[in-house]
Amino acid sequence: MTTSSRGLLAALIVAAPVLVGITHAMLAAFGLTGLAGIEPGWGRAHAVLTDVTTWRSLAWSLWAAAASTVLAFAGAVLIASLFRSSSRTDALARALATLPLAVPHVAAAFVGLLILGQSGVLARISYAFGWIATPADFPALVYDPAGTAFIMTLAAKELPFLALIAFSLLASETDRLEETARSLGAGPLEVFRHVTFPLLWRGLLPATVAVFVFVFGTYEAAAMLGPSRPTPLPVLAMERYAGASLAQRADAFVLSLLALVLALAAVAAHELLRRRRWEVAG
Amino acid sequence: MTLGSARTPLRSLLLTGLGILAVAPLLLLLITSISRSWFWPALLPVPSADSWAALIAGTSGGRLSGAALNSLALALATGLLASALSLPLGRALAGLRGWRRSLGAGAAFLPVAAPPIALGIGLQFTFLTLGLGGSFMGVLLAHLVPALGYATLYFLGVFAVYDDRLEDEARTLGASPTQVFRRVTLPRLGRPLLEAALLGFLVSWAQVPLTILVGQGLVPTLAVEVLGLVQSGQDALAATGSLLLIIPAIFMLMAAALAIRRVEAVPV
Amino acid sequence: MSSAGAGPRLPRAALARKSRGGAWLGVLLVLLTACGDARRAGPSAADLAAGPWEDVVLAAEGTRVVWRMWRGDPSINAFVDEWVAPRVRDRYGIELIAVEGSGQELVNQLAVERQAEARGASDLLWINGETFHNLRRMDLLDGPWSGSLPNSAAVDSTSPIIARDFEQDPAGFESPWGRVQFALIYDARRTPDPPRSFADLGLWILENPGRFTHDQSFTGITFLKMLMYSLGGGVEAFQGGFDEESYAVASERVWRWVEMRRDAFWRSGLAYPQEVAELHRLFANGEVDFSMSNNENEVITKVRQGTLPSTARPLLLRDGTIANTHFVGIAFNAPNPAGAMLVADFLLSPEAQLQKLRPEVWADGTVLDVDRLDPEWRERFADVADDPRALSRDSLRRYAVPEVAPEYHERLASDWRSRIRDRP
């Protein structure tokens, strides 16, 4: 077997389950698999795709993913830039920043609920200081349509992942280039703007896409912290699949396909960004 | 080095913030886990060690200990399998060039990018037809789908920068391909294998939608149990479960980090 | 050359620990090694019901029964896991495993299993109302069998609440298990003078914006259903089967009522707790002033457990609150129908019915005709202390209204989602 065909076979093996899933979802969405309650044809799919609820859910999930990713990226860049030496303090900071990696999303969401709820820890501390009188006085962060608590929690959860990559980027590639820039007389901020940040940015982009698509598709955190309207897309899909009438299961397949199409787009973007990076580094 | 004199107060602030962010959740979970009632606006709860007692006695918390063992078995199996399988897969993908390489990398990324809920919905029927529904095997295979993706991407990265010269040297010294693999390649891959196994472990350990859709409630896992506990208002047990979720994962990370350091300390 | 091997051995010692978790692992290994067979190997519940009861007991000995139930209430979970399970294990050698699975989710699950011709995974199902309707309609239930249970002789089948499930005849496809009546929950300290009718409640909501909401699940829809009865001139207008026109008119009234008050709902009616347990949490923490429950005495149990504040009280509305019965059914592809029948029979035993009636356990009403029991049981039932906070049996009876056809519930649920929650 040639190297090339071996590689393509490997690619097929890894991607196969997703392809099977996509195929089944496509067939089932159009009622071609004979699943009870789903009429064959374009009917249900059309209903879902022309329903405002679908697009609102999609838009919300895209927004929440974008906001979380931006915050996580900014935080990762900040921490990596400030704590890059090998001193003990810096090593401690890096270790602390990486700790949330160990926290599964369901636990992180629960903590978010406990801390950010209107009757949560922060609210009670505010009450103790006399800043608020009732839970309603505390800002509505959990279940709010803007997804504030969700975004904050997911940003905190995804930051370590990006930070880890940022640490290794700063530890290797950039030193030389930064020294060159400094020897040419550039000040610290200029070095950061023209050397450090661009390298970080390019190095982190593929991972950032990964974070984006992950937050977009996460279920448990959205179920625990997200609003009822609009319902986050993964939660809506589960609702239509398990909690609604049998005919509406077709909706769940359509919604899943939407999510998977977005995942494909993310994969393509990820690949393009990786190639550009090689070309730059090369 | 980068931001000049404004660094120090910002650094201290951030360091404190990071410290709080790391410690506060654990403390909060601990307090919640020993609370009987914790109503607004109390800053401390009415205490009760019930949830921990139940965990140890195996009563209503017995769901947690059973689920924890299940999760452990699933995660270990996923990690080991994903690591072992992704090594040859990643290596094969690294051998591709040009557009094929992009296709390969994209293929590996696909199970990572696909939302588990969408994956679960798309695959549930297939799993059921194959008799894998509601079984440990079925959930393991389901967890392997994203885990294999993560691990293969990882090994793709490893092999993309892998320097073959040591292997070439060994061969010029007369070693057979098997000997080369066993005594040169494999030891060098010790750390990557560990890291890939850790990736697979964490993917399975934290997984929720796939377990729900394929396990159908018959394969209890810690993450799914905690979700159920939060949704049924059992905060103390949910907190206990969350701690059970977090602490082993922290140990895993630390153990892997230490092991990696040990592996790297040996001169190659 | 490096001599480092594959790194440290990852800890497997945990797996060797003998504990209840070990039992779970054993269960899983059984699941793992059991080969998948689309069809059940042995006789169905209907077959067993036709034969002598001793055969059922024999067939069920030493088997495992998987019971799909709503796991959203820790008191009920405790009753099943810690009281029922040990007893059926000791007496019949049955290992009872209760897992989450209820409502439409259950229907969809069984429908997919039938389609995929998958090995059955559930034996006993906790169902009623629209769930029973859908399962029957799609032929997903085994039966008839419930008449063959020895303990079914003591069931109060003259009571209209028990004899009909949302106006449907169980016809032996489900066995009654308990009965409850809907009640609101309020805090006597915060709301010393609560509203006592829907009209009053409507006013109260407008006067106290942001302090009321309902959940998205069964309890919340039941609340809307009661509202529908009230706005429609009483339950009589809806009895006798589902009528599309009546529903259309009545539901419009409900939506208008809700929309008029939507901004005064909690979070301006934009967010609703998914489950009733989350509503309890909001209520206990003072974010809202009312919670609700399908079980009139859930307050008592929850206060004892510390989930609700001690000042919480149940509240009936003068318009009437819904009383209904809940049942257990057997899945069409149940691997162990004999075991399921045996457990269903045990649940009907005076012992089990008495235990769950206790306010500290579950406070779930009995479906037995206590007068037909032996004197010692009659006494024990009478002795079950009425908590001073409990609603008197008289007022419960006075304000009880029955369920109507299941389609009302289904339509309300789906229309609420599209009209109110997801409003365009």
Side-chain angles (χ1 to χ4, degrees):
Chain A
M1 195 181 265
T2 66
T3 319
S4 167
S5 46
R6 211 175 349 170
L8 288 176
L9 180 63
L12 189 62
I13 292 175
V14 187
V18 185
L19 296 173
V20 169
I22 292 179
T23 314
H24 178 80
M26 278 202 290
L27 291 174
F30 298 115
L32 296 170
T33 55
L35 268 173
I38 305 181
E39 295 293 317
W42 182 232
R44 215 47 233 178
H46 183 253
V48 174
L49 291 172
T50 51
D51 187 1
V52 176
T53 315
T54 308
W55 300 106
R56 251 197 265 123
S57 291
L58 180 67
W60 187 92
S61 289
L62 285 171
W63 147 252
S68 315
T69 310
V70 165
L71 285 175
F73 178 85
V77 165
L78 189 63
I79 294 172
S81 311
L82 288 179
F83 297 101
R84 46 191 299 193
S85 75
S86 43
S87 76
R88 276 222 318 241
T89 337
D90 283 21
L92 175 68
R94 287 198 300 271
L96 285 175
T98 335
L99 209 60
L101 268 178
V103 181
H105 281 71
V106 66
F110 183 43
V111 172
L113 194 63
L114 290 173
I115 294 181
L116 300 170
Q118 279 185 309
S119 52
V121 170
L122 285 181
R124 297 180 197 204
I125 293 177
S126 311
Y127 177 85
F129 274 115
W131 299 331
I132 63 173
T134 72
D137 294 336
F138 191 78
L141 301 171
V142 184
Y143 318 130
D144 81 321
T148 318
F150 176 84
I151 291 170
M152 286 168 65
T153 310
L154 265 295
K157 179 72 189 76
E158 296 302 319
L159 193 155
F161 175 64
L162 292 176
L164 211 57
I165 300 176
F167 296 153
S168 67
L169 280 172
L170 286 183
S172 52
E173 297 182 19
T174 53
D175 271 2
R176 238 186 336 114
L177 291 157
E178 284 176 334
E179 263 191 53
T180 320
R182 253 191 314 265
S183 67
L184 291 173
L189 248 142
E190 286 174 316
V191 175
F192 182 77
R193 245 183 56 191
H194 295 288
V195 181
T196 324
F197 185 74
L199 277 158
L200 267 179
W201 163 254
R202 231 174 267 127
L204 280 174
L205 257 182
T208 310
V209 171
V211 166
F212 177 84
V213 77
F214 186 90
V215 176
F216 171 80
T218 183
Y219 169 73
E220 56 269 30
M224 289 164 74
L225 298 169
S228 311
R229 178 193 181 277
T231 315
L233 195 64
V235 179
L236 188 65
M238 181 68 114
E239 188 180 273
R240 299 280 171 95
Y241 190 70
S245 70
L246 283 162
Q248 284 192 303
R249 257 186 313 163
D251 302 9
F253 289 115
V254 178
L255 293 170
S256 298
L257 280 171
L258 266 178
L260 288 166
V261 161
L262 220 103
L264 280 167
V267 168
H270 186 262
E271 260 329 283
L272 268 150
L273 292 166
R274 272 160 54 107
R275 293 190 81 185
R276 257 184 58 207
R277 183 172 160 221
W278 297 334
E279 269 140 53
V280 168
Chain B
M1 231 191 314
T2 51
L3 292 177
S5 60
R7 267 174 83 220
T8 317
L10 184 59
R11 273 169 53 96
S12 320
L13 191 67
L14 267 178
L15 192 57
T16 325
L18 283 174
I20 294 178
L21 214 63
V23 170
L26 293 173
L27 195 63
L28 181 60
L29 286 174
L30 192 62
I31 299 176
T32 311
S33 73
I34 54 170
S35 70
R36 183 173 170 275
S37 324
W38 199 3
F39 303 137
W40 165 273
L43 284 173
L44 284 175
V46 174
S48 149
D50 276 353
S51 75
W52 290 100
L55 174 70
I56 297 170
T59 48
S60 59
R63 296 231 159 210
L64 279 181
S65 43
L69 285 172
N70 247 7
S71 287
L72 198 64
L74 274 170
L76 285 173
T78 307
L80 293 173
L81 281 170
S83 178
L85 290 171
S86 61
L87 195 158
L89 287 171
R91 194 145 167 239
L93 286 178
L96 293 171
R97 294 283 172 263
W99 66 267
R100 290 191 187 83
R101 165 72 83 93
S102 289
L103 188 68
F109 190 44
L110 195 55
V112 172
I117 184 83
L119 207 55
I121 288 177
L123 287 174
Q124 195 201 41
F125 192 76
T126 314
F127 270 74
L128 284 175
T129 322
L130 295 173
L132 292 169
S135 72
F136 185 90
M137 246 0 245
V139 176
L140 176 60
L141 286 172
H143 286 192
L144 260 180
V145 174
L148 200 59
Y150 277 94
T152 309
L153 268 179
Y154 173 79
F155 267 117
L156 173 56
V158 166
F159 282 111
V161 297
Y162 195 75
D163 193 346
D164 282 12
R165 279 176 295 181
L166 265 165
E167 275 84 355
D168 292 344
E169 257 185 58
R171 245 191 307 272
T172 60
L173 291 173
S176 72
T178 342
Q179 280 178 316
V180 172
F181 183 74
R182 251 189 20 191
R183 315 209 35 219
V184 183
T185 318
L186 217 47
R188 287 177 71 189
L189 292 174
R191 169 185 170 164
L193 278 169
L194 246 185
E195 292 189 340
L198 185 67
L199 263 177
F201 179 91
L202 288 174
V203 167
S204 166
W205 185 247
Q207 183 57 232
V208 171
L210 284 174
T211 314
I212 294 178
L213 287 167
V214 177
Q216 301 168 236
L218 289 170
V219 185
T221 63
L222 205 48
V224 175
E225 276 298 309
V226 170
L227 180 62
L229 287 167
V230 176
Q231 289 177 327
S232 62
Q234 303 178 67
D235 287 3
L237 275 172
T240 311
S242 298
L243 286 169
L244 280 179
L245 267 175
I246 297 174
I247 293 173
I250 293 184
F251 275 125
M252 274 292 175
L253 273 174
M254 285 186 348
L258 287 168
I260 284 166
R261 219 166 293 157
R262 219 190 324 134
V263 169
E264 296 218 292
V266 180
V268 172
Chain C
M1 195 159 297
S2 164
S3 59
R9 261 169 9 108
L10 298 165
R12 279 200 174 273
L15 288 173
R17 254 180 55 213
K18 284 198 170 75
S19 70
R20 195 148 301 202
W24 273 108
L25 205 58
V27 165
L28 292 156
L29 287 174
V30 169
L31 281 167
L32 208 161
T33 52
C35 18
D37 187 359
R39 272 173 305 271
R40 193 197 307 111
S44 70
D47 299 333
L48 289 165
W53 183 249
E54 296 76 50
D55 287 355
V56 177
V57 180
L58 266 164
E61 168 85 39
T63 59
R64 175 175 48 113
V65 172
V66 173
W67 183 3
R68 287 206 180 265
M69 53 184 280
W70 177 60
R71 300 284 295 174
D73 187 339
S75 336
I76 307 178
N77 297 351
F79 170 69
V80 171
D81 298 339
E82 288 156 43
W83 193 89
V84 176
R87 276 162 186 76
V88 295
R89 190 181 48 237
D90 294 336
R91 282 175 219 190
Y92 310 116
I94 289 178
E95 176 164 21
L96 182 63
I97 302 175
V99 296
E100 175 64 63
S102 60
Q104 189 61 38
E105 183 196 313
L106 187 58
V107 179
N108 289 0
Q109 184 61 47
L110 287 172
V112 173
E113 278 180 23
R114 155 158 273 153
Q115 206 101 37
E117 288 184 15
R119 185 169 39 110
S122 333
D123 299 302
L124 200 60
L125 315 168
W126 183 13
I127 55 178
N128 77 344
E130 79 285 8
T131 313
F132 175 66
H133 179 234
N134 285 318
L135 288 172
R136 272 296 266 146
R137 202 161 49 98
M138 306 191 53
D139 207 19
L140 296 170
L141 284 176
D142 193 351
W145 56 270
S146 67
S148 70
L149 302 182
N151 283 325
S152 66
V155 168
D156 186 7
S157 39
T158 57
S159 160
I161 307 267
I162 296 172
R164 285 282 179 273
D165 181 10
F166 282 49
E167 285 191 359
Q168 307 161 94
D169 181 6
F173 280 82
E174 54 177 4
S175 168
W177 182 31
R179 49 167 299 178
V180 286
Q181 187 164 341
F182 184 100
L184 288 175
I185 301 175
Y186 74 102
D187 186 328
R189 189 178 39 92
R190 277 185 258 157
T191 322
D193 189 20
R196 307 237 170 229
S197 67
F198 271 109
D200 291 344
L201 180 63
L203 275 168
W204 189 96
I205 294 175
L206 288 168
E207 284 162 16
N208 298 271
R211 312 293 303 171
F212 181 89
T213 188
H214 61 79
D215 62 287
Q216 301 190 35
S217 304
F218 190 83
T219 314
I221 306 300
T222 308
F223 171 78
L224 292 174
K225 209 177 355 177
M226 282 165 32
L227 179 61
M228 183 183 77
Y229 290 176
S230 165
L231 295 173
V235 67
E236 300 77 24
F238 302 98
Q239 286 176 315
F242 180 71
D243 180 50
E244 181 67 52
E245 256 190 60
S246 307
Y247 171 75
V249 171
S251 60
E252 265 317 302
R253 289 205 197 98
V254 173
W255 307 141
R256 234 179 301 141
W257 191 97
V258 171
E259 269 163 29
M260 262 175 48
R261 290 159 184 76
R262 196 218 303 272
D263 290 332
F265 267 44
W266 178 72
R267 295 291 182 92
S268 313
L270 288 174
Y272 296 87
Q274 181 67 44
E275 293 286 330
V276 69
E278 291 169 23
L279 182 57
H280 288 336
R281 197 195 272 128
L282 292 176
F283 167 73
N285 280 324
E287 290 193 46
V288 294
D289 286 331
F290 284 94
S291 188
M292 48 187 76
S293 172
N294 273 301
N295 178 346
E296 75 278 19
N297 289 323
E298 184 177 354
V299 191
I300 316 245
T301 331
K302 289 281 190 295
V303 168
R304 279 176 200 250
Q305 290 169 351
T307 318
L308 289 178
S310 56
T311 40
R313 301 274 180 281
L315 173 70
L316 292 177
L317 294 174
R318 275 190 219 113
D319 312 65
T321 64
I322 288 178
N324 62 26
T325 309
H326 49 89
F327 300 75
V328 285
I330 299 183
F332 75 101
N333 59 354
N336 186 6
M341 288 171 74
L342 203 46
V343 174
D345 184 60
F346 176 73
L347 293 173
L348 280 179
S349 67
E351 191 190 351
Q353 293 281 314
L354 179 66
Q355 178 69 9
K356 71 172 170 59
L357 180 62
R358 296 187 192 286
E360 69 273 18
V361 176
W362 180 1
D364 185 48
T366 179
V367 294
L368 300 179
D369 185 356
V370 182
D371 295 328
R372 255 189 278 158
L373 296 173
D374 293 338
E376 51 156 321
W377 280 113
R378 250 181 282 153
E379 231 185 272
R380 290 204 201 133
F381 270 91
D383 279 347
V384 171
D386 265 342
D387 191 290
R389 278 170 298 210
L391 296 160
S392 78
R393 294 185 212 234
D394 281 333
S395 34
L396 282 171
R397 243 190 307 265
R398 195 168 1 137
Y399 295 118
V401 288
E403 288 277 11
V404 290
E407 289 91 338
Y408 284 107
H409 190 104
E410 292 174 305
R411 292 292 301 275
L412 276 173
S414 65
D415 289 345
W416 175 79
R417 263 192 208 150
S418 50
R419 282 287 301 263
I420 304 292
R421 190 193 72 177
D422 293 341
R423 67 180 162 145

